[in-house]
Structure formats: C-alpha cells, structure tokens
Amino acid sequence: MKTKLFNAMIIFSVMLSACQGNNKEPGQRQKGKPNFAADLAFLQKWDKELIVLSVAGGNAKLIVSPKYQGKVFTSTAEGQEGRSFGWINYKAFDKAIDPHMNAYGGEDRLWLGPEGGPFSLFFAPNKEMVFANWHTPTAIDTESWSLVSSSAKSVRLVKDMELQNYAGTQFKININRQVEILERNEIEGMLSIVLGDKVKSVGFKTTNSLRNTGDFTWNKKTGAPCIWSLDMFTPSPETVILIPYKEDTAGKVATTDYFGEIQSDRIVMEKGILYFKADGLSRGKLGIPPHRAKPIAGSYSADEGVLTVTLFDVGNDATYLNQEWTTKKDPFLGDAMNAYNDGPLADGTQMGPFYEIESVSPAAFIPPNEQVVHRHSVFHFMGDKTQLNTIAEQVLGTSLARVSTIFGQPKK
C-alpha cells in the first residue's frame, strides 16, 4: 500500500508540474534573494484588494489576500526592500484553473483535511484514490473569501462552504480566520524570550475556527474535517528544519515514508530534536504523531542567516486524522504536524523548490453550532548570530552550531 501511495503521489507531482511548467526560476521573485516590494508589486497585479499589515514605527510587514483564500503570502522584517520570507509560485497565476490544485504558494495558507482515507474531502465517493480523481475543494483552492474587518495590524475573513466527503457525508461549514501581525514585545511574550538589539524580527499569529453549521453531529460514522495550516518557505543549500519531540514516551518518533522513505542522510533524530534537510533538492515528507509532538518547530538557514519558528496548538491525547491516500488504514490515527522538502522528479520538473512546516487540528467531532479553533503562528529572526543562537537554544532546544554541522555542513 505504501508503494501504491508513493506511485500515486509521483503521478500527482508529474502532472501538476506539467500543468504549471518547470518553476525553477518563476520570474524575478526567485532570482537571488526574494524581495518584499517585488512580491507585493507582482501580487497586486492579481489581487487589487491585497492587505498589508505592519507594526507601528517598525519594518515588520506581511501580505494577506482575501481573494486567495485568506493566504498570508509573505512577510518581511526589513521593510519594503527587505527579504521576503514566503514562497510564491509566480508561474501559477496566469495559468488556466487546474481542476486538481492551484499551487499559488504562500507563507501560511489554510486547508481542511483529511486529504485521503475513507472520509477524504479530496475524493468523491467510490472513486479510486489516484491523481485523476483528486480534487482540492474549490473553497480552499480558488474561491475568494469575505473580508469582515481589517486594521493596520489585523484582518478577519470568513468563508461558508458545503463539502462532501468520501463517505458521502455532506458538511456545512463556516471558517473564521484572523491574522494579526505582532509587535516585538508580543513576540517576546509568546516565545518567552528577550530579543537582542541586533536582531530583526517579524511575527504573526493566525486564529482559525471551523464551525458546524449543519443539522447533525459529526462523529466517527459520518467522518469529520480538521483545520490544516501550511507554511511554504524558500529553501537554501544549508536550510535545516528543526522539530523538537517528546523523548519520554513510547512508539515511533516520526512517519518518514509519506512519499517513499526519506533518505537516511537527510534526517537525524538526536536528543529530542529531529533535523530534516530542507534544501529543495530531494522530495520527502514526514509527520510527528500527537503523543510525540510538541507545539513548536522551526528551521535555520545557516547560509542565509535566517531563523524561523512556528508555534501551534497540539492535543497530545486528541484524535488526529490519517491523511494518506488509502482506505485500508485507521482513519483516526494520524500525525499532528508535518514537514516537507520539495525536490525534482525523475524527468527534472519541479513545482518549487520550497519547503513546508505544517500543523493540523484534531478531528472536529462537534454538534451543530459548535466550533474547533486552531492557532498557528510564524516568526522570523535575522541578525547577530550570537543573539540568534540564544533564541534557538531557548525556543527550539538546539544550538546553531549543531544545526550547521548536523549534515556535515561547514560551521558558520
């Protein structure tokens, strides 16, 4: 079954790449270091109602798009001409709508799961789980979301939708999404740190609620959706994803064979930290089960000098959904967070390169008019390496020196 899943996902990537072209250099955005002003100018051609959030008197900014499903497309810690942290797929915007998925990119986007399994939201009832039958629900792929309110620092969006799952259940759902850029003291409070005077930062938090607007309770017979937050970032040769995990519990640390087993020289588990190479050169995905997951992950690019931290909700004893393209596995035994590194396929095509850090909510087993809430936040830090190292040690539990040498990379 793992082989069947692997083959299905390879077919998916080949066909998606064929539809979008080889995006190794999608315009100005990926020639050299990404630039916030260039990204903003490009996105404004496609969405005239883009919202730019910023902190008062500072250089931290981020771009939110109601037209593109409330995505946080990108952020910067250095103002208009500063580095842009989100990965944006320039070549996807002028293509015809793809019936399977439209990969516009985005530093933080909201999806719903499960993707596969007997309660999948991406496959119609009785259809074989292969790429030809795989369709991202339009409400989270191409439809605009409604802007409820906005200010200099925050924006709130909503979307009502009706979705059918693989079991034939018809869900009525309301999504409410709030995005807020964070002041420096708010970043310090959320991460329990003190930022040095030589560190530039940007941070934002998303609060996402999923409400049952139907007339029946979602349970293990009907199936239930979950909230899915996905962050897409630009890789570099020395980028490493960092995932702290619980050591004092039994069972596997990670699922490492979503798209075939990840090569052993690209993943290390050491002293409660999982290190995963994120250079955009080898395709692989992993997941951390809820009993092992901590509410935090991140990445460090030694060659770019960027430390990224993500903070999210985790229910260690909650029920998470299996997202794999199979009906043969327990649908209520899944991972609480995931990480993905993009890479070229055998024919040389590639949608990215990019890498992802993802988190999901537990299954929404809720009665009518009730809701589940999932919080997911992103922080970026640049500047003095000694001060960055203090953040890494306090928040992620590892040193930058160890990150820089874990895969034999030169110590910076």
Side-chain angles (χ1 to χ4, degrees), residues 65 70 74 213 263-264 286 311 319 325 334 345 374 383:
S65 172
T74 192
T213 55
Q263 297 174 16
S264 61
L286 60 82
L311 188 68
T319 299
W325 290 19
L345 298 170
H374 184 67

Side-chain angles (χ1 to χ4, degrees), residues 59-60 76-79 81-83 85 184 187 195-203 305-308 379-384 387-388 391:
N59 290 318
T76 185
E78 303 174 295
E81 299 302 322
R83 179 184 178 88
F85 293 115
R184 191 174 178 90
I187 295 174
L195 292 173
D197 58 359
K198 297 179 182 179
V199 170
K200 300 174 183 178
S201 64
V202 61
V306 177
L307 176 65
T308 296
F379 312 86
H380 300 287
F381 305 99
M382 303 173 65
D384 180 77
Q387 294 183 3
L388 292 181
I391 298 170

Side-chain angles (χ1 to χ4, degrees), residues 1-271:
M1 187 56 63
K2 291 179 180 177
T3 300
K4 181 178 179 181
L5 171 64
F6 176 72
N7 290 338
M9 295 310 293
I10 288 295
I11 293 171
F12 156 59
S13 292
V14 170
M15 294 185 69
L16 185 59
S17 296
C19 291
Q20 296 179 334
N22 188 331
N23 290 348
K24 291 184 178 180
E25 287 191 342
Q28 180 182 358
R29 168 61 173 74
Q30 292 191 0
K31 293 179 180 178
K33 292 184 178 180
N35 176 275
F36 185 82
D39 279 351
L40 178 59
F42 173 82
L43 291 169
Q44 285 174 331
K45 297 177 182 178
W46 299 97
D47 183 358
K48 303 300 183 184
E49 298 181 356
L50 278 180
I51 298 170
V52 178
L53 305 182
S54 59
V55 297
N59 290 318
K61 299 177 182 294
L62 60 91
I63 301 170
V64 183
S65 172
K67 177 181 177 180
Y68 291 97
Q69 305 80 52
K71 287 181 175 66
V72 177
F73 264 116
T74 192
S75 66
T76 185
E78 303 174 295
Q80 285 291 110
E81 299 302 322
R83 179 184 178 88
S84 188
F85 293 115
W87 181 78
I88 301 171
N89 189 7
Y90 270 42
K91 286 191 175 180
F93 287 79
D94 60 355
K95 301 292 184 182
I97 295 296
D98 189 294
H100 301 287
M101 173 190 174
N102 293 271
Y104 300 111
E107 182 170 345
D108 183 273
R109 76 180 190 273
L110 186 67
W111 266 15
L112 299 180
E115 182 177 357
F119 302 108
S120 168
L121 296 175
F122 290 69
F123 292 94
N126 302 315
K127 293 291 186 179
E128 185 180 1
M129 290 190 179
V130 296
F131 174 77
N133 299 325
W134 180 86
H135 301 281
T136 305
T138 56
I140 56 173
D141 185 44
T142 56
E143 295 179 12
S144 297
W145 289 21
S146 298
L147 176 64
V148 176
S149 62
S150 66
S151 66
K153 285 186 56 181
S154 69
V155 59
R156 186 162 73 89
L157 309 108
V158 298
K159 182 67 175 178
D160 289 307
M161 59 188 77
E162 293 189 23
L163 303 177
Q164 184 185 55
N165 70 7
Y166 191 79
T169 304
Q170 194 77 22
F171 297 106
K172 290 185 177 180
I173 297 169
N174 172 267
I175 298 294
N176 190 308
R177 173 169 167 85
Q178 175 131 355
V179 180
E180 181 179 354
I181 195 168
L182 301 167
E183 300 284 351
R184 191 174 178 90
N185 67 310
E186 293 175 308
I187 295 174
E188 292 177 325
M190 288 182 70
L191 297 178
S192 299
I193 58 174
V194 176
L195 292 173
D197 58 359
K198 297 179 182 179
V199 170
K200 300 174 183 178
S201 64
V202 61
F204 63 89
K205 64 179 180 180
T206 71
T207 304
N208 310 285
S209 67
L210 184 160
R211 183 178 297 275
N212 179 352
T213 55
D215 57 5
F216 62 92
T217 297
W218 302 341
N219 55 42
K220 288 189 174 183
K221 292 184 178 180
T222 64
C226 67
I227 300 169
W228 189 0
S229 294
L230 304 97
D231 304 328
M232 304 178 82
F233 306 119
T234 303
S236 71
E238 295 182 23
T239 298
V240 178
I241 295 171
L242 314 169
I243 306 175
Y245 62 86
K246 293 187 175 184
E247 289 188 285
D248 57 348
T249 186
K252 66 180 180 180
V253 172
T255 303
T256 57
D257 60 352
Y258 274 85
F259 299 156
E261 188 64 40
I262 296 172
Q263 297 174 16
S264 61
D265 62 349
R266 304 188 67 85
I267 185 170
V268 172
M269 301 176 198
E270 175 186 274
K271 298 179 179 179

